[in-house]
Amino acid sequence: MIEEREYWKKLFGNKLYNEIVCSQTVSNKFSIQPETWGNAKLEGIFAEVDEFIFSDSYEFLGDEVFGQFYYLYLETMIKYGSAKCYTFFQMSEQPEKNLSKIFINKIRNIPLRVLLHDMYAQKKQGNLRGKNASEEYEFYNHSFLGDLGHVRALSRSYPEMHRLLLKQAEQISQFVNWIATALTEDKPEIVREICQGKDYKKIRWIKTGLSDSHNGGNMVAKVFWITGK
């Protein structure tokens, strides 16, 4: 037990360990009161993703705790964003990779408690393989979270978690497209006042997570474009 506790502390960090591992048991309502929200387009895309096709945009998932879980939601986000964020995709140098990073930074903590609960449920049923917590985690991450069917089952068992993840996808899509649209419409003033007369054609990167405005989930972001500003 001491070895397992130390492993999870190292994996999550002390703060997340205390918040997640030492928290109360997860309920199928995700311990949050459900809200009235739905997006048929996002739900449709989520239902259509039927295989893992990893690209450079998702390479960072290997460094995420329970990284395999996020693939289905990231793929849903990218497909939705490519349709809804036309201006952003036109202006961005690496739209898929940038959108993926923004999304994962916003959602990474949402499913952790559910996934840890599910992993231990699988362990209790004798479904995990491994000599220690590290090996069991690797087995769970690849064998269970690498199975789209299992991830979909979790989304059905924890509908509030699923709703929160898709709602973030919708809000982030709106946010980055708003930034790209503003950069297009206000370009003459931005070039004159900020870029010292140097033109820009592409967004190099959008960095979010600086702060939250508590206004409809909007974020504060720093925008880098080709001039380096």
Side-chain angles (χ1 to χ4, degrees), residues 71-87:
Y71 171 81
L72 180 55
Y73 286 93
L74 281 174
E75 187 69 8
T76 300
M77 171 71 179
I78 294 300
K79 290 181 181 297
Y80 179 79
S82 65
K84 293 293 185 178
C85 308
Y86 177 79
T87 305

Side-chain angles (χ1 to χ4, degrees), residues 35 37 39 42 73 76-77 80-81 85 99 102-111 160-176 208 212 216-219:
E35 298 178 11
W37 177 88
N39 185 311
L42 272 167
Y73 286 93
T76 300
M77 171 71 179
Y80 179 79
C85 308
L99 200 58
I102 293 171
F103 187 49
I104 200 71
N105 286 338
K106 192 70 174 175
I107 69 165
R108 66 161 50 90
N109 290 348
I110 292 175
E160 182 63 10
M161 175 192 72
H162 177 68
R163 183 194 69 83
L164 287 172
L165 292 171
L166 292 190
K167 189 172 184 179
Q168 287 297 329
E170 180 185 62
Q171 291 178 342
I172 289 169
S173 296
Q174 293 171 347
F175 181 64
V176 298
T208 62
D212 290 317
N218 289 333
M219 297 169 283

Side-chain angles (χ1 to χ4, degrees), residues 17-210:
Y17 175 85
N18 290 329
E19 290 178 359
I20 299 170
V21 179
C22 299
S23 64
Q24 296 179 353
T25 302
V26 181
S27 74
N28 65 351
K29 292 184 179 180
F30 198 59
S31 303
I32 299 174
Q33 293 298 318
E35 298 178 11
T36 302
W37 177 88
N39 185 311
K41 179 69 174 178
L42 272 167
E43 291 286 3
I45 295 172
F46 182 84
E48 290 173 357
V49 177
D50 59 1
E51 61 179 331
F52 285 99
I53 304 177
F54 287 100
S55 68
D56 291 342
S57 300
Y58 306 143
E59 61 185 0
F60 62 88
L61 287 180
D63 298 324
E64 295 289 336
V65 177
F66 296 122
Q68 289 275 49
F69 170 83
Y70 299 101
Y71 171 81
L72 180 55
Y73 286 93
L74 281 174
E75 187 69 8
T76 300
M77 171 71 179
I78 294 300
K79 290 181 181 297
Y80 179 79
S82 65
K84 293 293 185 178
C85 308
Y86 177 79
T87 305
F88 171 74
F89 269 71
Q90 288 293 108
M91 285 194 66
S92 180
E93 188 177 39
Q94 303 179 78
E96 294 186 357
K97 190 170 186 178
N98 197 179
L99 200 58
S100 296
K101 290 292 289 185
I102 293 171
F103 187 49
I104 200 71
N105 286 338
K106 192 70 174 175
I107 69 165
R108 66 161 50 90
N109 290 348
I110 292 175
L112 290 182
R113 189 182 300 175
V114 165
L115 297 176
L116 186 61
H117 175 74
D118 181 56
M119 178 177 164
Y120 275 110
Q122 299 300 334
K123 177 182 175 68
K124 188 175 181 179
Q125 295 170 25
N127 296 330
L128 298 187
R129 301 290 182 271
K131 298 178 181 178
N132 51 47
S134 178
E135 291 182 3
E136 289 176 344
Y137 162 75
E138 292 296 335
F139 181 86
Y140 174 77
N141 192 42
H142 291 285
S143 298
F144 284 89
L145 300 185
D147 177 3
L148 288 178
H150 188 76
V151 175
R152 291 189 192 282
L154 287 173
S155 74
R156 292 190 296 270
S157 296
Y158 299 94
E160 182 63 10
M161 175 192 72
H162 177 68
R163 183 194 69 83
L164 287 172
L165 292 171
L166 292 190
K167 189 172 184 179
Q168 287 297 329
E170 180 185 62
Q171 291 178 342
I172 289 169
S173 296
Q174 293 171 347
F175 181 64
V176 298
N177 208 52
W178 172 79
I179 289 176
T181 300
L183 288 174
T184 300
E185 294 177 349
D186 300 334
K187 186 174 183 178
E189 184 177 356
I190 293 173
V191 169
R192 183 178 65 254
E193 300 294 333
I194 300 177
C195 299
Q196 300 177 336
K198 296 180 181 179
D199 194 8
Y200 61 86
K201 298 184 182 298
K202 290 282 187 179
I203 296 171
R204 176 169 290 161
W205 200 256
I206 295 177
K207 181 179 180 181
T208 62
L210 303 178

